[in-house]
Amino acid sequence: EWQTLRGCTFVPNEWNDGDSFHVRHQGQEYIFRLYFADTPESEDSLPERVAEQAEHFGTSPTQSVQSGIAAKKETARFLDAPFTVITRFQAAPGRSKMTRFYAFVIPAPARKDLASLLIEAGMARSFGTVAKNDLGLDRPHYDLLEYRARRQGLGFYSTKNLSVETPKACLL
């Protein structure tokens, strides 16, 4: 069952990144991982993953990690005011000893979820775990945002010479 946590605050942590971060709600600390979005890693301890993300964004692994650091900073900026988390507390595997959960995160005063904001800015790709929800958010929504960011050369796509494939949702 979905739960809505209002008034959440961002908790700075060295292991936060653009799509996974520590949050405090009513005195309890959580780690949440965004549904549908993947930002580049902000450090290089997972070289295969960094290489795969670098290939997606058309960069070198070093540039990909630099992009991940930028995404990490942008997420912290988006979450500098109290925000809302919508979650089912579905476990999101990770390397932390603390359990991480998938979530939709709605920054204040935004009317969009954080995954949408990052993807449409070209700072994340449409990727990862999906979730049926009543928010109207699904894979085609995120795929379209990524397509537009790539086509417009936004964010991490700005200096890349990537092919821009039309997502299936645009063809229907």
Side-chain angles (χ1 to χ4, degrees):
E1 188 172 314
W2 290 101
Q3 295 182 40
T4 301
L5 311 178
R6 290 182 172 78
C8 295
T9 55
F10 181 80
V11 177
N13 185 290
E14 69 176 304
W15 298 110
N16 286 347
D17 64 18
D19 58 27
S20 179
F21 40 85
H22 290 246
V23 169
R24 185 170 316 284
H25 179 257
Q26 295 182 347
Q28 178 74 33
E29 187 170 331
Y30 302 95
I31 303 173
F32 288 112
R33 166 78 170 86
L34 298 177
Y35 280 114
F36 293 103
D38 182 46
T39 61
E41 298 299 311
S42 57
E43 46 84 28
D44 62 1
S45 67
L46 299 170
E48 298 85 17
R49 185 155 172 75
V50 169
E52 190 259 328
Q53 291 169 330
E55 183 177 338
H56 175 85
F57 285 102
T59 65
S60 71
T62 300
Q63 290 169 316
S64 184
V65 170
Q66 292 170 346
S67 295
I69 293 167
K72 175 180 180 173
K73 290 177 183 176
E74 189 68 1
T75 290
R77 188 184 69 77
F78 274 127
L79 302 180
D80 68 351
F83 53 91
T84 300
V85 171
I86 302 169
T87 184
R88 292 184 299 188
F89 289 101
Q90 175 187 358
R95 295 182 289 170
S96 174
K97 291 180 183 178
M98 211 173 138
T99 303
R100 183 169 70 159
F101 303 103
Y102 286 107
F104 292 100
V105 175
I106 317 296
R111 299 241 186 256
K112 297 179 182 179
D113 67 299
L114 181 59
S116 292
L117 293 168
L118 291 168
I119 292 169
E120 73 183 359
M123 300 187 87
R125 62 182 173 159
S126 174
F127 185 85
T129 299
V130 300
K132 292 188 184 225
N133 60 82
D134 294 332
L135 303 171
L137 301 171
D138 57 15
R139 175 68 71 209
H141 163 77
Y142 296 101
D143 287 349
L144 180 59
L145 294 177
E146 180 180 327
Y147 167 75
R148 289 177 179 161
R150 289 171 71 98
R151 187 168 179 214
Q152 295 171 22
L154 300 177
F156 306 149
Y157 301 113
S158 65
T159 60
K160 317 307 177 274
N161 187 16
L162 299 171
S163 64
V164 179
E165 230 177 89
T166 304
K168 291 177 185 172
C170 297
L171 301 173
L172 301 176

